[in-house]
DNA sequence: GTGTCATGTGAGAAGCGTTCTCATCTCTAC
DNA sequence: GTAGAGATGAGAACGCTTCTCACATGACAC
């Protein structure tokens, strides 16, 4: 259930299917185009509402930015982690948080307190790296 | 020279003064208001152009986000580092990059290659932490 | 199956931050 | 002083996102 307890409509079912079928990270505009291919007439507002519902349900995450738009991706993980966005194929890989307490030691030593952080990682996923190396 | 080799106008001189006088991170809108207090009539476009010039000159950095706007701050450092934005006083502290090669080891082990990263740190600076503790 | 009601929908306007355009001004080099 | 490159202000335009409103529809009780 991508939307949590929210009501399921035909549009939302379709949007969920398209989101699941997409290879990785996508913007709202890209999703709108992909949905429009299967059902022209679905409004952009509906896309944003569905994305909002999925984010609220915790099945969708904001993983970065592309061309000024929010980059989103399916992610069911609820533990603290970050996302590596492949700049080649747009796939998204969940990675453990690379920050340990030790990493903040210099800042803490200066008296600062770090309460939250946002990390966006960009690079190549394993398969793109393999095919590039070939 | 906040603008690098670019031409200096009275507006840019004023903007540079205001930027220097501001306590820490600010948005374009906040800077526009601050500049307007001393010289009403300076256009928002001029603010954005000046900010762009300062970023190009490497004297200004994008350090995070606030309310959907880009959060900027003066920063002359040219080495690789990140910024801790104090959520209490908006001051900005440059901190060493907390990511080492070891931090990426799990991702690298899975075959991924991380080429770039963006980190935004939020918390309390030393002085705010001291005054809060008092 | 029917009725009710909360919730989702599409279209488009609006809001927001940012960038662009263009005529004009002004700083800088000579 | 002059020429020309570059900066300016005003406001239109842009792109992304959210809101509004009348209407449609799914869920649920009966």
């Amino acid at each position: 259930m991508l939307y949590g307890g929210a009501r399921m409509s035909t549009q939302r079912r379709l949007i969920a299917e398209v989101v699941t079928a997409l290879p990785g990270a996508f913007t709202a505009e890209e999703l709108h185009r992909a949905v429009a291919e299967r059902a022209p007439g679905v409004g952009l507002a509906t896309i944003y509402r569905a994305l909002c519902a999925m984010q609220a349900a915790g099945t969708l995450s904001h993983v970065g930015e592309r061309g000024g738009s929010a980059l989103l991706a399916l992610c069911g993980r609820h533990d603290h982690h970050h996302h590596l966005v492949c700049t080649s194929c747009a796939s998204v890989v969940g990675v453990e948080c690379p920050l340990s307490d030790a990493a903040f030691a210099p800042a803490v030593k200066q008296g600062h307190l770090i309460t939250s952080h946002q990390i966006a990682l960009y690079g190549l996923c394993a398969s793109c790296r393999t095919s590039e190396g070939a």
Side-chain angles (χ1 to χ4, degrees), chain A:
Chain A
M1 177 61 85
L2 257 44
Y3 298 99
R7 181 188 295 179
M8 180 61 72
S9 66
T10 47
Q11 288 90 338
R12 288 199 166 188
R13 210 183 316 274
L14 174 64
I15 292 170
E17 279 173 25
V18 172
V19 163
T20 309
L22 282 172
F26 53 87
T27 64
E29 176 59 30
E30 287 164 6
L31 177 61
H32 185 214
R33 266 204 305 276
V35 168
E37 280 177 19
R38 294 177 56 176
V42 173
L44 194 52
T46 301
I47 298 290
Y48 276 105
R49 275 186 292 240
L51 290 176
C52 189
M54 284 191 261
Q55 282 188 277
T59 53
L60 198 74
S61 297
H62 181 277
V63 298
E65 290 214 359
R66 185 161 61 207
S69 311
L71 203 53
L72 304 157
L74 266 191
C75 181
R77 283 175 68 168
H78 286 82
D79 59 327
H80 178 68
H81 68 287
H82 300 284
H83 299 95
L84 165 63
V85 181
C86 179
T87 51
S88 174
C89 70
S91 68
V92 172
V93 183
V95 297
E96 300 306 313
C97 179
L99 297 179
S100 60
D101 287 345
F104 292 137
V108 172
K109 210 167 182 177
Q110 291 171 51
H112 311 310
L113 174 69
I114 294 169
T115 54
S116 68
H117 61 265
Q118 290 172 2
I119 304 184
L121 302 170
Y122 299 92
L124 291 175
C125 66
S127 58
C128 282
R129 200 180 170 191
T130 306
S131 59
E132 275 215 353

